[in-house]
Amino acid sequence: MNGPFPPHDPGHVPVMLAEVMEYLALHDGGRYVDGTFGGGGYARAILASCDCQLWGIDRDPAAIARGAALAPAFPDGHGASRLHLLHGGFADMADLLARDGVTKVDGIVLDLGVSSYQIDEAERGFSFRMDGPLDMRMNDTGPTAADVVNTLPEGELADIIYHYGEERLSRRVARAIVAARAEAPLLRTAQLADVVRSVMRPDRSGIDPATRTFQGLRIHVNDELGQISRVLETAPRLLAPGGRLVVVSFHSLEDRLVKQAMSRAAGRMPAPSRHDPRAMTARAAPTDFTLLTGRPIRPGEEETRRNPRARSARLRAMECIAPSSIPASETAE
């Protein structure tokens, strides 16, 4: 099975693919999970690299449809595909896999944030560069970004833009949004982007003034940080001995959650202050995991030149190392 990876859809460029493959340490007979299937870039490379089974998870129905078209390219020799598709959020990974009788896997990869397909499709409403309906939902249920900007009080809007978009001038932006919606509902991405740009000076770095506001609204609409926190609790428990979790994040909010979760799992959380009574009894807890990346791995210059979207990517990885702590009944899978 080893050899060059099949060509990818030119509209989808998987970020840090070589590094992801290296840290997953793939092998024949393995069971792997791509928890953010998206365009199928990682999944395609994993299935082409070894004789393994892979479960692709995504809450976006369009991603599942793309996977269904890809599945026949990877037959298992018994009339089925080695690619198994599960529609749902990665926070529900354990339950989704359990429906297929899977309780332990050899590797999980998560590519956090919005996919290039979602950004590039104007009708999905993620992009401030193309006009489209102000939607931003990764699935097809729940409130849209238009619902949020047209109904929430100014203070709540400011908090969302500040905490999730890391926009220092969030109050100015929220005030402008409320003033604009009083004239007419904000229903299009171009409308919202123009409102933000009208009160924000261009960034010296060249980043569009609407970037952080759109990020904040997108994260809120999709409960992205809540989803990430839940999957980071669940995913390590699914790893068989020697199994690895590899996570690629794209901004500091995501990376902070990944760093903290992996540090906790590996028993590397900071000790309590010497003034804290807990310090008198604190002991290093035994851990089933080890960190594979002391610091986040960043993409190389060549990749960022070819794919500017990779420039903010950070990769972290850890490995399950304690077979004795995992019941034999669970490793029998």
Side-chain angles (χ1 to χ4, degrees):
M1 298 297 299
N2 294 318
F5 303 145
H8 298 287
D9 184 322
H12 175 72
V13 182
V15 173
M16 300 184 73
L17 176 60
E19 292 86 347
V20 166
M21 300 292 283
E22 175 186 353
Y23 279 97
L24 279 175
L26 303 164
H27 59 80
D28 288 347
R31 290 181 162 195
Y32 301 98
V33 177
D34 181 348
T36 48
F37 184 81
Y42 293 141
R44 185 191 299 262
I46 290 168
L47 289 164
S49 295
C50 61
D51 185 8
C52 64
Q53 301 285 327
L54 183 132
W55 281 262
I57 297 173
D58 208 296
R59 55 176 164 171
D60 186 344
I64 298 300
R66 285 191 293 271
L70 177 64
F74 299 100
D76 66 356
H78 302 284
S81 175
R82 294 187 288 118
L83 171 60
H84 315 276
L85 298 165
L86 301 172
H87 182 212
F90 57 43
D92 301 317
M93 182 180 295
D95 291 338
L96 292 170
L97 290 170
R99 295 175 194 171
D100 274 11
V102 177
T103 58
K104 292 294 173 184
V105 297
D106 299 293
I108 299 169
V109 59
L110 301 171
D111 177 9
L112 304 179
V114 65
S115 80
S116 57
Y117 277 99
Q118 291 166 334
I119 292 174
D120 292 340
E121 294 173 4
E123 63 272 19
R124 299 299 299 272
F126 288 97
S127 177
F128 47 79
R129 300 186 187 283
M130 298 181 290
D131 186 36
L134 191 53
D135 194 317
M136 296 195 193
R137 295 174 299 173
M138 291 182 179
N139 55 17
D140 52 6
T141 61
T144 66
D147 295 325
V148 173
V149 301
N150 287 297
T151 62
L152 289 190
E154 181 179 320
E156 288 187 41
L157 278 174
D159 287 345
I160 288 169
I161 296 167
Y162 178 78
H163 291 295
Y164 297 152
E166 301 179 289
E167 174 56 76
R168 293 185 301 105
L169 301 178
S170 62
R171 296 195 181 280
R172 179 189 298 180
V173 173
R175 189 161 52 248
I177 289 173
V178 170
R181 79 190 190 191
E183 299 293 328
L186 298 174
L187 303 176
R188 308 287 296 183
T189 56
Q191 283 179 281
L192 177 59
D194 286 345
V195 169
V196 177
R197 292 169 186 145
S198 72
V199 295
M200 295 282 293
R201 293 179 179 177
D203 192 292
R204 290 180 181 178
S205 67
I207 295 175
D208 191 290
T211 300
R212 287 182 286 271
T213 295
F214 270 64
Q215 173 184 300
L217 290 170
R218 189 202 82 217
I219 290 174
H220 172 77
V221 165
N222 296 289
D223 184 29
E224 290 181 36
L225 299 187
Q227 291 276 323
I228 292 169
S229 294
R230 291 191 287 277
V231 76
L232 291 173
E233 290 294 322
T234 300
R237 301 171 191 168
L238 292 167
L239 295 176
R244 295 183 170 193
L245 172 62
V246 180
V247 184
V248 179
S249 61
F250 290 88
H251 58 74
S252 60
L253 296 175
E254 294 173 344
D255 184 58
R256 189 178 304 124
L257 290 175
V258 177
K259 177 183 178 180
Q260 292 173 347
M262 289 190 174
S263 294
R264 283 195 301 272
R268 291 197 181 185
M269 289 302 287
S273 163
R274 60 189 178 90
H275 302 294
D276 188 331
R278 292 174 297 172
M280 299 295 292
T281 57
R283 296 286 187 275
T287 176
D288 296 341
F289 304 95
T290 186
L291 299 180
L292 299 175
T293 52
R295 294 184 178 184
I297 307 300
R298 304 299 298 269
E301 292 183 7
E302 174 61 21
E303 177 170 7
T304 56
R305 185 189 62 78
R306 287 185 288 103
N307 181 15
R309 288 174 178 168
R311 65 181 179 272
S312 60
R314 301 173 177 88
L315 181 151
R316 295 183 187 269
M318 70 179 188
E319 180 178 354
C320 178
I321 58 171
S324 61
S325 69
I326 302 174
S329 61
E330 295 187 9
T331 60
E333 283 296 324

